[in-house]
Amino acid sequence: VFIYSTFLQRSYDQIIEDVCLQNLPVVFCLDRAGLVGADGKTHQGVFDLTYLKSIPNLTVLAPKSVGEFETMLKVALTLNSPVAIRYPNGAAKEFTGVAPFTSALSWEVLKQGKKSDVTILAVGGRMLEKAFAVADGLNGATVVNARTVKPLDAAFLNSITSETIVTLEENVKSGGFGEAVAAYFANDKKKAVMVFALDDKFIEHASVSAQQDKYGLSVQDIILSIKKRR
């Protein structure tokens, strides 16, 4: 099923009752996930991670590139269960893969920092671009392609040695990826999770870059916030 992120939310009950409750092998491909620029308030695909990751039996994926999307789609068709793959509108940058996506649903490290550095978990290609720029601004950080939003890659999370973990996503903060990571480390007093996502607001008309800047997802704002925290 290929559909805009913002249109799929109209069928929330059908996703639950007609697909996930029966654990049927339906693959939802969500176009225009995240910020969509001048399409307007009604079309911003900034709620899908929140409304999808709460549903049992549903796997939620976010490819970093067109190539990874193609691989994810092939893998999704082998899982014999519901899957949602979300990706943005506009041109997509191709990132060089490190670990091919497989049914293991694991994340991949695209840039390795020092053990004491910040670890940045980015969802999707746009946020990975931000993550690399932030890493450069911090003079070093580990950049991770967090391509499986649900389930979280628990093995990877358990392997993180950084005291500061940063999450980046084009989704509302409430119920999103970052909050799930923060909840995972809630009882670990040695880890500080900084969540960068969209506030509880309807996004106004603007270019995607202007929307990112206005709602706290600019590289400069992220770097400044991390430096203040450290």
Side-chain angles (χ1 to χ4, degrees), residues 29-201:
C29 297
L30 279 64
D31 186 12
R32 284 171 165 74
L35 297 167
V36 297
D39 280 3
K41 289 184 178 180
T42 58
H43 282 50
Q44 308 298 329
V46 298
F47 304 106
D48 56 75
L49 293 184
T50 299
Y51 73 74
L52 291 175
K53 61 186 284 295
S54 64
I55 305 175
N57 293 332
L58 184 62
T59 298
V60 183
L61 309 175
K64 67 177 180 291
S65 63
V66 173
E68 189 163 76
F69 167 75
E70 293 175 353
T71 303
M72 279 185 175
L73 185 55
K74 292 176 181 177
V75 170
L77 293 171
T78 70
L79 295 181
N80 199 37
S81 61
V83 180
I85 307 174
R86 58 110 66 178
Y87 48 92
N89 66 345
K93 180 178 179 180
E94 283 298 314
F95 291 91
T96 301
V98 175
F101 185 78
T102 68
S103 58
L105 307 180
S106 59
W107 297 348
E108 64 175 346
V109 176
L110 298 182
K111 178 183 175 65
Q112 184 67 62
K114 296 178 182 178
K115 288 186 177 181
S116 59
D117 284 342
V118 172
T119 295
I120 305 173
L121 309 177
V123 176
R126 282 184 185 165
M127 293 297 97
L128 278 171
E129 289 188 61
K130 298 276 185 184
F132 278 108
V134 169
D136 290 341
L138 295 174
N139 295 317
T142 296
V143 175
V144 180
N145 175 23
R147 54 195 175 184
T148 303
V149 175
K150 182 188 177 184
L152 296 174
D153 187 344
F156 188 91
L157 291 173
N158 292 338
S159 73
I160 295 176
T161 56
S162 304
E163 293 183 358
T164 301
I165 299 169
V166 172
T167 67
L168 305 180
E169 64 192 295
E170 271 190 353
N171 189 80
V172 290
K173 183 180 297 183
S174 180
F177 170 74
E179 285 198 348
V181 173
Y184 188 88
F185 288 109
N187 295 321
D188 188 341
K189 303 305 180 183
K190 295 181 179 179
K191 296 283 193 299
V193 179
M194 301 184 67
V195 178
F196 292 91
L198 299 167
D199 291 333
D200 186 21
K201 297 178 180 179

Side-chain angles (χ1 to χ4, degrees), residues 212-224:
Q212 291 175 341
D213 292 348
K214 181 174 181 178
Y215 294 101
L217 290 177
S218 73
V219 171
Q220 293 78 10
D221 286 344
I222 295 169
I223 291 173
L224 183 60

